[in-house]
Amino acid sequence: MDAAILVGSFIVLILLRVPVAYSLGISALIGAWWIDIPLHAVMIQIAGGVNKFSLLAIPFFVLAGAIMAEGGMARRLVAFAGVLVGFVRGGLSLVNITASTFFGAISGSSLADTASVGSVLIPEMEKKGYPREFATAVTVSGSVQALLTPPSHNSVIYSLAAGGTVSIAALFMAGIGPGLLMSATMATLCLWFAKKRNYPKGEVIPLRQAIKICIDALWGLMTMFIILGGILSGVFTATESAAVAVIWAFFVTMFIYRDYKWHELPKMMHRTVRTLSIVMILIAFAAAFGYIMTLMQIPSKITTAFLTFSDNRYVILMCVNFMLLVLGTLMDMAPLILILTPILLPVVTSFGVDPVHFGMIMLVNLGIGLITPPVGAVLFVGAAIGKVTIEATVKALLPFYAALFMVLMAVTYIPAISLWLPSVVL
């Protein structure tokens, strides 16, 4: 009955179109009242939910990504990717995937990836003879890997939702393998389409121009090496690396590239703060919701229910995947991570699944949800930038959904894809 009151009130509020963050907070208050917990205990949990040093990584990484996204980095990365793969048949689709890989490793955001790379490449792909819906589908699906590769702020949120027991650095390293696998799978699919549909072959860029493009892009690409190199060498923590990334991104954008105007900085800061305020409110209320769930023993009850359903780890992981895929199409990624991690993590760890490995499983599942209707935020952004309907984009995405599902199965049932790199470098 306790769980029905807490979860039921949350579902009712969502159906009434109350924002997710406030639905979590109000449900926590209703749950506390039901089990006779003082309401000020909930307020303490709300304040404590955002009073964590590791959370500073989120605003810094978001700001660094915003500076790079609006400061000309995307255009230079597209040009750099063109040097690497643009000369093959279907080269522009490979440029799209490659540019998303590079930019994702700088922004850590699928939305920023889709908006920045898509605005440059979708019109260019159409001009070269690619169907506009295909160009949009490539852009949208290629951006999912940005959720996995460092500096993924969703990894930071997962670490927080796991109670801080999972290292952010380990999650960053774990995301590289699945992220590269996803990019390689998307690129292979694009090559197959290029051969089947006879998409145009790109031109080889002259050596002098290629060298200039590479040098121009190198300044931005160094952001990746600063983040990863600093963490792996022990010079600074993941949170400190985020602050360093902001300083470097600001220096490159304003003093090297100089495409961004100084008077535009306050507006960009305002947009970033608005985004972050939503995220932080969500984290605060989710902490209170998780606290009430723990008092009601909901995670342990769900673990017991799974154990009675099956004692086979592979069956349980498939059930968890199905649940995450369905929920990922109905709700945004961050609230699902905050709500489901305290519930599902004890379940999978009781079957011997590594928490870092499960973090990658969750991110891949919910990343697919971001490009799937009815609530796929990245899908909507991509369709808006590509100026195509949602229906046409989803139809073009069908082969990419199949490829992403194959990646999900590989990440789920081959733990080494996620765990090999952390075990070697950390």
Side-chain angles (χ1 to χ4, degrees):
M1 188 61 182
D2 292 346
I5 294 296
L6 181 67
V7 178
S9 61
F10 175 71
I11 293 173
V12 168
L13 288 166
I14 290 294
L15 292 176
L16 292 174
R17 298 192 176 184
V18 177
V20 174
Y22 298 121
S23 297
L24 287 169
I26 296 170
S27 300
L29 290 172
I30 294 172
W33 168 79
W34 178 258
I35 61 175
D36 201 25
I37 296 295
L39 296 186
H40 69 263
V42 178
M43 301 304 157
I44 291 172
Q45 293 299 318
I46 291 173
V50 290
N51 189 23
K52 293 180 173 64
F53 176 74
S54 60
L55 276 179
L56 286 173
I58 296 177
F60 283 130
F61 279 136
V62 170
L63 180 57
I67 293 172
M68 285 294 191
E70 299 184 25
M73 182 74 259
R75 177 169 51 82
R76 289 170 172 85
L77 287 178
V78 167
F80 178 63
V83 172
L84 298 179
V85 296
F87 55 88
V88 301
R89 183 167 301 282
L92 268 184
S93 59
L94 293 186
V95 169
N96 197 319
I97 298 295
T98 307
S100 289
T101 302
F102 287 136
F103 191 76
I106 293 173
S107 70
S109 167
S110 288
L111 280 172
D113 196 329
T114 298
S116 300
V117 175
S119 60
V120 176
L121 272 175
I122 292 176
E124 186 65 23
M125 289 179 70
E126 185 186 30
K127 190 187 302 181
K128 296 295 184 181
Y130 295 82
R132 199 169 185 92
E133 59 270 17
F134 174 77
T136 304
V138 171
T139 304
V140 168
S141 60
S143 70
V144 175
Q145 54 78 36
L147 302 167
L148 303 167
T149 52
S152 167
H153 49 264
N154 288 290
S155 292
V156 180
I157 294 174
Y158 172 77
S159 175
L160 169 73
T165 58
V166 185
S167 164
I168 295 175
L171 290 168
F172 278 4
M173 293 301 102
I176 293 175
L180 292 177
L181 174 62
M182 191 175 289
S183 296
T185 304
M186 295 294 102
T188 303
L189 185 59
C190 287
L191 285 172
W192 182 79
F193 273 122
K195 184 177 180 180
K196 182 181 178 181
R197 299 175 180 176
N198 197 31
Y199 285 146
K201 195 173 183 179
E203 299 177 356
V204 177
I205 298 176
L207 180 60
R208 178 176 293 183
Q209 185 181 351
I211 292 173
K212 183 178 182 300
I213 289 171
C214 292
I215 294 173
D216 205 24
L218 186 62
W219 293 100
L221 290 171
M222 281 182 67
T223 310
M224 294 187 298
F225 299 107
I226 290 172
I227 294 170
L228 293 180
I231 294 172
L232 296 179
S233 64
V235 175
F236 37 71
T237 65
T239 304
E240 292 164 348
S241 74
V244 174
V246 170
I247 296 172
W248 178 256
F250 178 79
F251 171 74
V252 171
T253 299
M254 305 308 296
F255 296 101
I256 303 297
Y257 293 157
R258 292 182 290 182
D259 288 349
Y260 205 69
K261 306 300 182 184
W262 286 89
H263 67 84
E264 294 175 323
L265 278 174
K267 293 181 180 179
M268 184 189 67
M269 292 291 292
H270 179 255
R271 288 193 298 271
T272 303
V273 169
R274 284 186 63 184
T275 301
L276 289 170
S277 65
I278 297 170
V279 174
M280 291 304 175
I281 290 171
L282 179 61
I283 290 172
F285 287 144
F289 190 83
Y291 170 70
I292 300 300
M293 278 200 307
T294 303
L295 293 179
M296 291 179 173
Q297 298 182 336
I298 292 176
S300 61
K301 291 175 182 176
I302 292 177
T303 302
T304 303
F306 269 102
L307 288 170
T308 56
F309 173 74
S310 174
D311 59 357
N312 187 306
R313 176 170 64 178
Y314 302 109
V315 173
I316 294 300
L317 284 175
M318 183 57 74
C319 292
V320 169
N321 276 328
F322 178 75
M323 180 193 304
L324 290 173
L325 282 172
V326 172
L327 292 175
T329 65
L330 302 174
M331 194 182 297
D332 204 7
M333 189 171 193
L336 280 175
I337 293 174
L338 292 164
I339 295 168
L340 295 178
T341 300
I343 296 173
L344 295 178
L345 190 58
V347 174
V348 296
T349 52
S350 68
F351 286 91
V353 178
D354 189 280
V356 174
H357 177 212
F358 180 64
M360 295 303 106
I361 295 172
M362 179 171 275
L363 292 184
V364 174
N365 271 294
L366 300 183
I368 295 173
L370 286 179
I371 63 169
T372 308
V375 193
V378 175
L379 171 65
F380 295 155
V381 171
I385 292 172
K387 297 179 181 177
V388 292
T389 64
I390 299 294
E391 294 80 6
T393 306
V394 170
K395 185 178 179 180
L397 273 170
L398 291 177
F400 294 93
Y401 287 137
L404 288 170
F405 184 76
M406 291 170 57
V407 172
L408 173 61
M409 291 298 99
V411 171
T412 299
Y413 294 114
I414 308 175
I417 295 174
S418 304
L419 300 180
W420 178 77
L421 194 57
S423 67
V424 170
V425 300
L426 295 177

